Amino acid sequence: MPFFNQFPKIMYDFNRTGTAQQMVNIFRSVRPQSSLLNDSTLYKKFTIPDGMRPDVISEKLYGTTDYYWTFFIINDFLHDGLQAWPMSEKAMRSHMDKNYSGLALQFTPTTLNLDGTVATKNSLAGKLELGAFIYGLTSGAIGRIIRKDLDLNIIVVDDVIPGVQGRNPQTGSIDNNIEGGSFKTNEYLQSEWTDLEGVTRTLASGSDTLLTLKPDKIFNYAEAPAFYYLEGDPEERPVTTPDIIPTQASQITPVYSELQWNLNLQSEIKNFDLDQLNQNALGDKAFIATNTSVGEPLISSGGYQPSNDDISGQIVYKSNRDFVKDKNDARSVIEVINPAFIGNFIEEFERVLNA
């Protein structure tokens, strides 16, 4: 029986004219009790073959395509509909090509201790904006920033155009410092953004300051880290990135998101001696000091803090490609109703739905 044929009908005045029309009450919802989903008599595991559709599986199990909707009722992750159905290998390749193209540039923030207050350089916090162009001052490469991830200290750059040797990427003039090619590790980057006070900021170059950025690692985005975890952790719980913190498990701290920073929080950051920082162009509150008593982020947005007796393995990462594949593989194993009980399930579902 088609799914919505089982739903009760209601009268509804769509146009507020006093004339009601009959419609299916799509707001009704019925879910099986979670305790019953562990009943091996009523339910069993089914591994979805590559690319097989729900209606084909229904035909295979129950001799009709009409019961495809039961898969979406009894599997929580399928409550989002067909978009949550596992992708075929072909579809997954297309998904990766579409959503994980471009380069991922990863940075290693380092800290400056000024009169007991910690400031961070080579950090993405408070810098760059999505959609802006970014230039490599050694490679001459140009790209557009499509993602910024403070937890992983990564920006994703798409539409990359390799540099031309001897030509400045911004002005087109002769520049013998330009080597050509794609973005390079340890090269200064150039880009502009508008800060929270409406002031246009520009990345600096020539010497390391709070306004410079140099990538330490460059990945194809599909192969870039999706998250880091402690090797040997069966749950692969995300932790902070390894280059920013010691790799001992007991010293890992929670990670934070730039979305938590706001004007009120930035106003709590102490003023710094700008001459001491050699940042004459940098006004106060234009950068962020993180994980200190001054301006500490409000909410942990990810990661966890292991205890001393927790897993003590090395920190490793799972790539975006492997993360997507693992998630897709997990979704390929679903609960299905035992064919011997499918008739009873349909009858009870319709009874409760229309009660």
Side-chain angles (χ1 to χ4, degrees):
M1 178 183 294
F3 182 54
F4 284 109
N5 284 5
Q6 303 166 89
F7 279 61
K9 305 294 190 299
I10 59 172
M11 301 302 293
Y12 189 80
D13 183 0
F14 287 95
N15 300 315
R16 303 292 192 271
T17 61
T19 303
Q21 302 177 34
Q22 189 180 72
M23 63 169 288
V24 175
N25 185 4
I26 61 174
F27 298 105
R28 294 296 295 270
S29 177
V30 176
R31 297 281 185 261
Q33 295 180 7
S34 58
S35 59
L36 295 179
L37 290 176
N38 296 321
D39 189 331
S40 60
T41 302
L42 296 176
Y43 303 97
K44 64 179 183 177
K45 298 288 186 181
F46 181 86
T47 301
I48 301 172
D50 180 49
M52 185 171 285
R53 303 193 313 266
D55 58 329
V56 176
I57 296 176
S58 176
E59 176 72 35
K60 180 181 179 68
L61 291 174
Y62 309 122
T64 176
T65 60
D66 287 348
Y67 299 153
Y68 69 89
W69 55 267
T70 60
F71 311 139
F72 298 88
I73 294 294
I74 66 176
N75 292 277
D76 286 344
F77 76 89
L78 288 177
H79 291 174
D80 291 333
L82 197 58
Q83 64 181 3
W85 192 259
M87 294 178 284
S88 67
E89 290 187 10
K90 181 179 179 181
M92 188 161 62
R93 286 195 297 270
S94 297
H95 173 80
M96 296 302 299
D97 290 342
K98 178 181 179 180
N99 296 285
Y100 292 90
S101 62
L103 297 177
L105 281 58
Q106 188 171 49
F107 304 84
T108 300
T110 56
T111 57
L112 298 174
N113 194 319
L114 303 172
D115 299 326
T117 303
V118 178
T120 307
K121 65 180 182 178
N122 206 35
S123 168
L124 293 175
K127 302 184 185 79
L128 307 181
E129 60 189 21
L130 300 184
F133 285 112
I134 192 162
Y135 306 86
L137 297 185
T138 300
S139 64
I142 305 172
R144 188 180 296 276
I145 303 169
I146 62 170
R147 185 182 178 196
K148 182 171 69 166
D149 189 325
L150 289 193
D151 288 349
L152 295 172
N153 296 291
I154 281 176
I155 61 171
V156 180
V157 181
D158 208 357
D159 302 325
V160 175
I161 301 175
V164 177
Q165 184 177 7
R167 178 167 296 180
N168 186 292
Q170 294 174 280
T171 65
S173 60
I174 295 175
D175 187 339
N176 293 327
N177 293 317
I178 300 298
E179 299 176 0
S182 188
F183 287 99
K184 302 179 185 296
T185 57
N186 216 35
E187 72 171 330
Y188 288 109
L189 302 176
Q190 183 67 266
S191 188
E192 291 185 350
W193 71 98
T194 303
D195 67 16
L196 293 174
E197 296 178 348
V199 178
T200 299
R201 301 290 182 183
T202 304
L203 289 178
S205 62
S207 61
D208 293 349
T209 68
L210 292 179
L211 278 178
T212 56
L213 282 176
K214 296 193 297 185
D216 298 285
K217 298 176 183 177
I218 299 178
F219 307 84
N220 289 325
Y221 185 25
E223 312 307 331
F227 63 89
Y228 288 84
Y229 63 97
L230 288 171
E231 190 174 27
D233 181 1
E235 298 180 28
E236 297 184 350
R237 293 167 291 178
V239 297
T240 49
T241 51
D243 292 326
I244 304 169
I245 53 173
T247 57
Q248 291 87 346
S250 61
Q251 296 177 313
I252 294 174
T253 56
V255 291
Y256 300 92
S257 168
E258 187 175 13
L259 295 176
Q260 297 155 25
W261 294 96
N262 52 49
L263 288 172
N264 292 333
L265 190 59
Q266 286 209 11
S267 68
E268 298 174 7
I269 299 176
K270 293 181 179 178
N271 294 335
F272 289 86
D273 185 338
L274 301 184
D275 291 333
Q276 184 177 359
L277 290 175
N278 193 25
Q279 288 294 298
N280 296 327
L282 179 64
D284 58 22
K285 297 181 290 186
F287 65 96
I288 296 172
T290 59
N291 295 342
T292 70
S293 59
V294 180
E296 185 171 355
L298 297 176
I299 305 169
S300 173
S301 67
Y304 77 108
Q305 188 168 9
S307 60
N308 289 327
D309 58 354
D310 208 327
I311 299 163
S312 58
Q314 294 296 310
I315 295 180
V316 295
Y317 71 84
K318 184 175 290 290
S319 71
N320 288 309
R321 187 182 303 279
D322 287 342
F323 174 72
V324 172
K325 182 180 184 303
D326 289 352
K327 185 176 181 180
N328 195 64
D329 288 347
R331 290 184 169 188
S332 295
V333 180
I334 62 173
E335 296 273 359
V336 300
I337 301 164
N338 188 325
F341 296 99
I342 187 65
N344 301 86
F345 181 91
I346 301 299
E347 290 179 6
E348 183 64 11
F349 178 86
E350 187 173 1
R351 185 191 67 80
V352 174
L353 187 67
N354 288 274

